[in-house]
Amino acid sequence: MVDELGTDISPETQQRLGRSLAHDDRLFVYGTLQFPEVLIELIGRCPDSVAAELTGWRAAALPGRVYPGLVPAAGAVAQGVVLSGLDAGEWAVLDAFEDDEYELRQVGPGPVASTWTYVWTSAVAQNDWCAQRFAAEHLDLFVAGCAEWRRLL
């Protein structure tokens, strides 16, 4: 399926979007997507958001990459934000943006129950990802890369 912008919508996204019309699905983001600059380059705006924590998960550093992956971790708490009000085209862009190693899943129970997030399915580093370090060292170049990626989509 292709949306009105010509973006391919995966079967998983189609299934989720079918439910989201009635349930206003939300997206928990814990890495680069929590930066307004990144969202603006990818989808043209910064959706409504609220700070959130996801218990039992951590935003792990990924070997050779500047962005994190969310993985289960007993006793850990992943910091992030919950985005709401995404339309079908925006979901499709975010789905296309995420690497193949991410899997879109619903998470809960907890403060972000029934919220979707991108879970990492490959190897991770021992240490956690640091949003402040990313912002200081990589954000500007990452945003420029997002703009180029979106231009080519």
Side-chain angles (χ1 to χ4, degrees):
M1 177 178 175
V2 177
D3 75 356
E4 62 278 359
L5 299 175
T7 306
D8 186 41
I9 301 176
S10 70
E12 294 83 9
T13 302
Q14 292 175 41
Q15 181 182 14
R16 181 184 33 72
L17 291 173
R19 289 192 309 273
S20 69
L21 296 175
H23 294 87
D24 187 32
D25 286 340
R26 300 169 301 150
L27 179 65
F28 175 75
V29 295
Y30 51 86
T32 62
L33 293 179
Q34 65 185 314
F35 289 89
E37 303 94 318
V38 172
L39 290 166
I40 290 167
E41 286 301 331
L42 293 176
I43 63 172
R45 70 184 186 97
C46 186
D48 292 338
S49 64
V50 62
E53 296 179 336
L54 187 57
T55 303
W57 298 82
R58 72 181 184 100
L62 302 177
R65 302 176 196 217
V66 299
Y67 51 86
L70 189 70
V71 294
V77 177
Q79 303 291 323
V81 299
V82 173
L83 304 177
S84 60
L86 295 166
D87 67 28
E90 292 166 339
W91 274 106
V93 169
L94 296 178
D95 284 346
F97 180 71
E98 296 298 350
D99 287 348
D100 291 339
E101 292 92 350
Y102 286 105
E103 181 178 289
L104 188 60
R105 294 187 197 163
Q106 278 189 302
V107 291
V112 291
S114 300
T115 299
W116 293 89
T117 194
Y118 292 100
V119 174
W120 187 252
T121 61
S122 195
V124 299
Q126 290 289 104
N127 56 310
D128 289 342
W129 183 77
C130 178
Q132 292 81 9
R133 184 176 309 127
F134 170 81
E137 298 174 8
H138 303 288
L139 181 59
D140 291 341
L141 187 57
F142 191 84
V143 168
C146 290
E148 180 65 12
W149 177 88
R150 185 64 176 117
R151 186 183 70 74
L152 297 172
L153 182 62

